Amino acid sequence: MSILKVALMGHPALRQVARKVDPAEIKTSVFQKLVDDMIETMREYDGIGLAAPQVHESVRLALIGIQDGGDDRTLRILPVVNPVVKPTGKSTAEDWEGCLSLPRLRGRVVRLDKISVKALDRRGNRVEFDLEGYPARVAQHEIDHLDGVLFVDRMKSFETLCFLDEYSKYWTDD
Ligand code: ZN
């Protein structure tokens, strides 16, 4: 496995609409290696999600991290291929987001609070699951990357856009 280079905001790879993955492609060693390398990259940089365009691969593949019990060591990583998001409720929530492609920045974004995700898993099987709260936010953020959308595009105002040090100093109780 290898740690991949992460594209930073301004790189055109982050603004392309990624192509759909042919299901026949999923079982190939090239694709499986991409999934493994993305998992290793996401862990290396303490990400909670990662999308293929962030590692310069314009395909509809993303990793969604779900923290069980609020502990980093129990981070579950769900790879999703050709994911489609549907709202399962009307409520929205506003919370802080960051992105490995926008290092050291944080900003508040409104997202759907409850969604269902339909996708193929890394074996090519159809999966559908419901997400709520922070994992739903992560999924929407990652799947936006597949359409060339960054979290700053979703901000209603840039008043909360801030650097990590200032975020830690003024905007959290941690
Ligand atoms: Zn991101």
Side-chain angles (χ1 to χ4, degrees), residues 49 54 98-102 141-142 145 150-151:
Q54 290 183 276
C99 181
L100 295 181
S101 296
L102 285 74
H141 175 121
E142 298 313 327
H145 275 300
L150 302 176
F151 83 81

Side-chain angles (χ1 to χ4, degrees), residues 50-110:
L50 188 68
Q54 290 183 276
V55 294
H56 310 86
E57 292 290 339
S58 193
V59 292
R60 302 190 80 79
L61 160 67
L63 306 179
I64 301 167
I66 298 175
Q67 249 164 24
D68 294 323
D71 186 336
D72 271 343
R73 279 166 294 185
T74 56
L75 187 69
R76 250 189 317 140
I77 299 176
L78 298 179
V80 288
V81 178
N82 300 337
V84 178
V85 167
K86 262 201 313 200
T88 52
K90 285 188 181 144
S91 59
T92 57
E94 192 185 53
D95 206 347
W96 293 96
E97 293 190 18
C99 181
L100 295 181
S101 296
L102 285 74
R104 308 194 64 74
L105 285 174
R106 294 290 183 273
R108 289 180 75 82
V109 184
V110 175

Side-chain angles (χ1 to χ4, degrees), residues 5 15 27 37-38 80 93 107 111 130 150:
K5 189 173 179 198
R15 291 306 194 175
K27 285 186 178 159
D37 288 348
M38 281 177 59
V80 288
R111 300 280 187 188
D130 294 328
L150 302 176

